[in-house]
Amino acid sequence: WKQSAFRKEEIKKESETAGIGTVVESELPPLDWIQLDKSVNEVVLLHGTHSDKIDMITQYGFDQRMAREGGLYGQGVYFTDQSCKSMQYSGAPDGTLGYFILSRVVLGHPHIATGAMKNVKVEPFRDDRDPSKGRSNSVVVNPGTDNGGAYRAQVHREFVLFSSHQAYPELVVCFKLQA
């Protein structure tokens, strides 16, 4: 928690001078026990994962270094505000138990993806023409974005972090799909 709180404060200081850019809202309903800081685009999102990753994430937090290379929008930790997308990564479609991690996520100044970003390992620059403006704090991928994949257009909204301390796992949800 301390590392997440520290990273949030860093982003807050950055945003005092550079702003947060696009304001992002989660489609998930607000939760009474979580007080979100809108000044840093803090939202509640879902992370779908398999049972073998739950203990590591809940004990040590998310770790972008463990993300698979070649992710459509970079080598980062992926979140969504749509349970059907999170379910795709949860293990449940294989007939086993599935897991969502309800997470507090600081998006800060997001980069809005306009296409696939497969080889990206760090946040994109806020302005490619002027790197002195710094880097974005996250990537947001909206439905309809050309992803270069088989379906050519992104179906679900996704959020990608390249700094794992911008997300804090709040609650694990275990479920099984009924036939």
Side-chain angles (χ1 to χ4, degrees), residues 3-168:
Q3 292 170 324
S4 293
F6 182 77
R7 180 67 182 130
K8 181 172 153 180
E9 288 304 313
E10 284 180 325
I11 291 173
K12 188 178 276 194
K13 286 178 185 171
E14 287 174 22
S15 68
E16 288 172 359
T17 56
I20 59 167
T22 303
V23 175
V24 180
E25 298 283 337
S26 174
E27 292 183 12
L28 294 173
L31 303 168
D32 293 341
W33 76 89
I34 299 177
Q35 299 300 312
L36 300 173
D37 186 345
K38 297 296 182 187
S39 73
V40 292
N41 264 335
E42 188 174 30
V43 293
V44 173
L45 299 172
L46 299 170
H47 177 81
T49 193
H50 291 262
S51 61
D52 61 335
K53 308 276 190 309
I54 291 294
D55 287 341
M56 185 176 70
I57 294 171
T58 56
Q59 289 178 29
Y60 303 107
F62 295 99
D63 189 342
Q64 79 279 2
R65 298 171 300 178
M66 303 302 287
R68 83 177 163 88
E69 291 187 39
L72 201 53
Y73 301 102
Q75 186 178 348
V77 182
Y78 284 65
F79 296 88
T80 184
D81 55 2
Q82 298 170 316
S83 60
C84 54
K85 180 63 179 177
S86 189
M87 186 183 71
Q88 293 174 1
Y89 298 100
S90 70
D94 299 332
T96 61
L97 291 176
Y99 295 88
F100 294 160
I101 301 176
L102 190 70
S103 305
R104 177 191 301 250
V105 178
V106 175
L107 298 171
H109 188 286
H111 169 81
I112 307 301
T114 58
M117 302 167 57
K118 285 192 176 196
N119 296 317
V120 173
K121 294 189 178 197
V122 296
E123 301 91 339
F125 287 111
R126 292 181 185 196
D127 182 346
D128 287 332
R129 296 176 308 274
D130 185 1
S132 70
K133 292 183 180 176
R135 293 189 176 274
S136 299
N137 303 115
S138 60
V139 172
V140 176
V141 188
N142 290 310
T145 301
D146 182 359
N147 62 21
Y151 300 108
R152 304 292 305 167
Q154 182 74 20
V155 177
H156 300 94
R157 191 156 77 145
E158 293 187 74
F159 306 84
V160 186
L161 298 181
F162 299 92
S163 172
S164 54
H165 299 310
Q166 287 174 229
Y168 181 77

